[in-house]
Amino acid sequence: VGEQSGRRGPAANTYGVRLDRELGVAIDVTPSLITSTVVDVLGTEHPIAQEHIDEHAERPAADVLKHAIDRACAAAGKNPALVTAVSVGIQAAVDPKTDDLLFNDDMPGWPRNRVRASLAEQLGVAVVINNDANLAAIAERTAGIGADASTFALLWLAEGLGLAVDLAGTIHQGSSGGAGEVGYLSAPVEATKYNPPATLIEDLVSDEALVALARHHGFTVSTYGEVVDLLATPEGGESRLAGLLDDLASRVCLALLPLTAVLDPELVVIAGPTGMAGGAALTTRMERWMRANSRWSPRIAVAQVTQTPVLRGARQVLIEIVRSALFDSVASIDRVPSSGEREEILADAG
């Protein structure tokens, strides 16, 4: 963009950031809602686009992502042709060695093999796919309570159960990408006390289990969304929900025990619709249950990233990708800026 003089020697070239290059789109895919947003090299906050979908309809994954890209670009006033990469959060995992889609019970229409490669070929952009709980943990490490913890685990409580482990700023994904899938473990013997039909740990806190639990405590609900609303807006105060919260805390702690026994994390972050709705009333009960019923007593807290945490995690991953792509694409100058100069350029521009 010019030259800077004033020191001895030749004038220094100065660089600016072109925001019309190397755009990305972060996408959060759930069975019923797709959210997406444009990502540029400065990390500018762009509008979030939403699309409600029929969770029982089988739509090709490439179509789902293409519509998400178009809607995000329309909301941000950007040309979709400028998008070079997407970062996708899903309720599943991808094997980093085989590129196979794993733990994909609710992903109809998605390829099971070569998932990233095939989607990249169909969309014509680079595709990065991460588990939703892992992305929520990245968001929490970047802008939430996880920033101050050396090691923390994030328990994602939604229609199903997810878990992410952050080890000093690195998400542990496991050799096949399946680390944290504690919901598939067999339910412990103690589970029969809380939910006799439970065969897997996830059966303790699934959407169907929570509807049944709320009904057991006298609440008239028929959907998981109604249970979340009930927990988030207790009529008559917390005392009205005391029994429900006590039982819910016990169930979540049973799901947490395998993690604490293996990793003994400094902090456990409770996230997802159920966790956010239960809030401090839930985490306080969980800490009390852990002290009384186990040998571990980690600090348990509610996630601080409350708005679209999975999307924010996907966005954080994508910022680094589009920045690297921008600088790697520079071919019209004599010398590509060093990593230190790149950060200075971005700081000056932002």
Side-chain angles (χ1 to χ4, degrees), residues 157-188:
L157 300 168
E159 291 88 345
L161 176 66
L163 172 68
V165 177
D166 179 299
L167 302 175
T170 299
I171 300 296
H172 177 66
Q173 306 211 33
S175 61
S176 67
E181 298 291 346
V182 294
Y184 290 92
L185 295 176
S186 297

Side-chain angles (χ1 to χ4, degrees), residues 72-309:
C73 288
K78 302 293 183 180
N79 183 353
L82 299 176
V83 175
T84 60
V86 296
S87 175
V88 186
I90 59 174
Q91 297 177 355
V94 177
D95 189 319
K97 298 188 294 292
T98 66
D99 201 16
D100 291 341
L101 190 63
L102 309 174
F103 308 104
N104 51 309
D105 301 345
D106 297 315
M107 303 289 292
W110 283 65
R112 284 354 186 203
N113 308 112
R114 297 184 66 252
V115 57
R116 288 176 299 198
S118 61
L119 289 174
E121 291 168 0
Q122 294 176 70
L123 294 171
V125 301
V127 176
V128 179
I129 302 176
N130 282 288
N131 173 262
D132 54 355
N134 288 343
L135 290 175
I138 290 173
E140 203 63 33
R141 165 66 74 178
T142 304
I145 195 171
D148 299 325
S150 59
T151 297
F152 73 90
L154 182 140
L155 202 61
W156 183 262
L157 300 168
E159 291 88 345
L161 176 66
L163 172 68
V165 177
D166 179 299
L167 302 175
T170 299
I171 300 296
H172 177 66
Q173 306 211 33
S175 61
S176 67
E181 298 291 346
V182 294
Y184 290 92
L185 295 176
S186 297
V189 174
E190 294 90 336
T192 58
K193 175 181 177 182
Y194 303 101
N195 187 17
T199 59
L200 300 176
I201 284 181
E202 185 172 87
D203 295 336
L204 292 168
V205 292
S206 68
D207 50 354
E208 294 179 357
L210 294 189
V211 170
L213 180 63
R215 289 175 176 173
H216 173 74
H217 284 275
F219 297 100
T220 304
V221 295
S222 57
T223 67
Y224 170 67
E226 291 174 339
V227 177
V228 171
D229 292 341
L230 176 67
L231 292 171
T233 54
E235 298 178 6
E238 182 185 324
S239 59
R240 180 171 174 264
L241 295 173
L244 173 58
L245 286 166
D246 287 343
D247 281 355
L248 177 58
S250 301
R251 292 179 177 217
V252 177
C253 284
L254 283 178
L256 185 61
L257 278 177
L259 166 73
T260 55
V262 174
L263 292 178
D264 190 19
E266 170 190 346
L267 168 69
V268 174
V269 178
I270 303 302
T274 306
M276 300 305 296
L282 176 62
T283 58
T284 299
R285 285 168 165 80
M286 289 179 62
E287 287 185 333
R288 186 164 60 236
W289 191 97
M290 291 294 290
R291 287 194 299 269
N293 297 279
S294 80
R295 296 176 181 269
W296 298 272
S297 55
R299 181 164 65 102
I300 304 176
V302 184
Q304 292 181 346
V305 180
T306 59
Q307 300 297 318
T308 60

